[in-house]
Amino acid sequence: MTTNPTLTHTQSEENVIHQLLTRPLPDTADPIVLSEACAAWVSVLVETDDRETHAALCERLLHGLNQLRAHCENDLPSYLVEQVVAGEKLNACVPECWQDASLQVDYAKALTHAIAGKTLPTDVAKELTKLLHDMVWLLADFVKESDMTAR
């Protein structure tokens, strides 16, 4: 009986990172696809110590956040306008003061720039990367939640 070769953990990890860094993100990607891609990049970013991979992930994350920010500049969806006009409070996974997705994206971009700049002490950069991870995941949840509310 022959066995098929299996990937070691390192080979599997390298393959995932390679796919994250090389898979194109279409200019037509919707906010959910963009937020999920950003969440994937930041999930690997928080776990990597390799400088080149770190820099490449920060670059991809900034690109994705910029695309997501462009979506935020569009008018509010009609269902949100109706809720605001009616005075309804929006129930969301983020505090009311953060219910502007553009604000969340801008915070994430600022953190990414700070981390990518390589001027911070290592321990500070690690903690800010963890904060960035949590912010991007909250943003992704908020984007998905907004989409679900719209349906």
Side-chain angles (χ1 to χ4, degrees):
M1 180 164 124
T2 58
T3 59
N4 291 329
T6 58
L7 294 174
T8 65
H9 175 70
T10 304
Q11 290 171 325
S12 297
E13 190 175 292
E14 287 174 7
N15 188 32
V16 168
I17 292 170
H18 177 74
Q19 287 181 26
L20 284 173
L21 293 176
T22 59
R23 180 175 291 149
L25 190 58
D27 290 335
T28 58
D30 66 37
I32 290 178
V33 170
L34 292 169
S35 66
E36 287 175 347
C38 289
W41 292 320
V42 79
S43 291
V44 175
L45 179 66
V46 80
E47 296 293 329
T48 190
D49 292 324
D50 180 72
R51 297 188 88 140
E52 287 181 27
T53 302
H54 189 273
L57 287 166
C58 283
E59 185 178 317
R60 289 299 305 256
L61 181 57
L62 281 170
H63 177 72
L65 289 169
N66 283 329
Q67 282 184 268
L68 190 55
R69 183 62 167 91
H71 281 281
C72 294
E73 292 173 1
N74 296 335
D75 291 333
L76 281 174
S78 59
Y79 75 94
L80 283 179
V81 172
E82 290 170 14
Q83 287 178 333
V84 171
V85 170
E88 293 178 34
K89 183 176 180 184
L90 303 175
N91 293 324
C93 60
V94 296
E96 191 172 336
C97 62
W98 280 19
Q99 289 185 5
D100 176 2
S102 60
L103 179 65
Q104 293 180 57
V105 172
D106 290 344
Y107 286 162
K109 285 174 53 177
L111 277 172
T112 305
H113 279 292
I115 293 163
K118 298 181 185 129
T119 58
L120 301 169
T122 303
D123 58 332
V124 172
K126 282 211 177 276
E127 292 305 313
L128 288 180
T129 302
K130 292 175 191 175
L131 176 61
L132 175 62
H133 172 273
D134 294 349
M135 288 192 70
V136 169
W137 274 92
L138 271 175
L139 175 60
D141 285 348
F142 181 70
V143 168
K144 289 177 200 168
E145 186 177 79
S146 297
D147 184 65
M148 295 304 289
T149 306
R151 292 175 187 218

